[in-house]
Amino acid sequence: MSSTSPGQVVDVTVTLEDQWAKRTGEASMMFDEVGMTVETFNSETGIVEGSIPSEHLRKLERLDCVAYVRTGSSYPKKDVRTTGGKR
């Protein structure tokens, strides 16, 4: 996992456990409950891309539907990427 600080948002790529790939509705609700914003959900490959507050990464990794979480860029929550261009 990359080094992140509280108060940041982290881009993530999630690989689902095989049995969850087609259960998009259930998995999406689980992601929502831990604070993940889903940008793409590919039920053919079981790959989900999105972002999550850094302080919720551990919760995401522990979900039953998650096989693996790869972290990417991290940025402050008030960054233009998270505020729609407003600072």
Side-chain angles (χ1 to χ4, degrees):
M1 177 185 323
S2 64
S3 174
T4 60
S5 301
Q8 291 187 316
V9 174
V10 181
D11 291 332
V12 291
T13 301
V14 177
T15 303
L16 296 176
E17 293 287 352
D18 290 339
Q19 67 271 25
W20 284 89
K22 303 287 185 195
R23 297 165 65 183
T24 58
E26 290 173 83
S28 292
M29 286 192 308
M30 293 172 83
F31 294 141
D32 189 51
E33 288 174 4
V34 297
M36 180 179 168
T37 300
V38 174
E39 293 175 24
T40 62
F41 195 126
N42 187 326
S43 61
E44 295 294 316
T45 62
I47 302 293
V48 183
E49 296 177 316
S51 58
I52 189 167
S54 58
E55 58 269 21
H56 296 284
L57 271 173
R58 294 281 180 228
K59 291 179 187 175
L60 175 64
E61 292 172 332
R62 291 183 182 128
L63 291 176
D64 290 340
C65 63
V66 172
Y68 178 76
V69 176
R70 184 178 73 207
T71 58
S73 300
S74 60
Y75 40 89
K77 285 183 183 177
K78 295 194 181 224
D79 190 280
V80 287
R81 289 167 279 202
T82 60
T83 60
K86 299 174 187 171
R87 289 199 180 250

